[in-house]
């Protein structure tokens, strides 16, 4: 079992930056690919980014490509999402999740965090 705890959300002005963190419990973190998803009010949850279990492969939603960067530190059992040039449409609850293998399909993620709120003011 893996437990995930996100942090780093908050209120930021458009054009600003935030760095989300997701800390995992357990000793099997490096066995999992990790993903970030988000859900805005009234909208379905959507894929943001993912990274393979060793950090060598990443993928991004077109809407965040070039602005967001996913990374991981297996020694710290933590995955990060660096978000730059934030836009009002990036506002959502952001969730990290763990899957085997790396995938963009949320149904394949077996462990989820509780989410962290990101608010972007215009």
């Amino acid at each position: 079992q893996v437990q995930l705890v996100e942090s780093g959300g908050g209120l930021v002005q458009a054009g600003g930056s935030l760095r989300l963190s997701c800390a995992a419990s357990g000793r099997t973190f490096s066995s999992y690919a990790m993903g970030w998803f988000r859900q805005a009010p009234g909208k379905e949850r959507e894929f943001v980014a993912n990274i393979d279990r060793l950090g060598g492969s990443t993928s991004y939603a077109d809407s965040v490509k070039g602005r967001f960067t996913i990374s991981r530190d297996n020694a710290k059992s933590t995955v990060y999402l660096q978000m730059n040039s934030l836009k009002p449409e990036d506002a959502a609850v952001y969730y990290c999740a763990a899957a085997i293998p790396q995938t963009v399909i949320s149904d394949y993620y077996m462990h989820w965090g509780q989410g962290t709120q990101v608010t972007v003011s215009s």
Side-chain angles (χ1 to χ4, degrees):
Q1 185 75 7
V2 175
Q3 292 186 325
L4 305 173
V5 179
E6 302 96 336
S7 61
L11 172 64
V12 63
Q13 287 188 330
S17 298
L18 281 175
R19 188 194 197 200
L20 305 183
S21 299
C22 173
S25 65
R27 292 175 288 182
T28 59
F29 179 72
S30 61
S31 299
Y32 294 92
M34 298 297 296
W36 285 96
F37 292 79
R38 67 187 182 187
Q39 187 167 21
K43 295 187 177 181
E44 295 200 353
R45 183 171 57 193
E46 63 175 353
F47 167 77
V48 175
N50 66 20
I51 188 167
D52 74 351
R53 64 184 190 89
L54 297 181
S57 172
T58 59
S59 63
Y60 298 90
D62 287 343
S63 59
V64 307
K65 203 171 292 183
R67 300 188 297 121
F68 291 12
T69 303
I70 187 171
S71 61
R72 67 189 295 162
D73 185 338
N74 285 347
K76 295 182 178 180
S77 297
T78 302
V79 62
Y80 305 97
L81 186 67
Q82 177 67 43
M83 306 186 295
N84 298 329
S85 302
L86 282 160
K87 304 175 181 179
E89 52 263 42
D90 293 319
V93 177
Y94 282 72
Y95 299 90
C96 70
I100 299 174
Q102 186 182 12
T103 177
V104 301
I105 302 173
S106 62
D107 288 348
Y108 291 172
Y109 283 78
M110 58 195 76
H111 304 291
W112 291 82
Q114 84 290 348
T116 185
Q117 177 73 50
V118 171
T119 304
V120 183
S121 63
S122 56

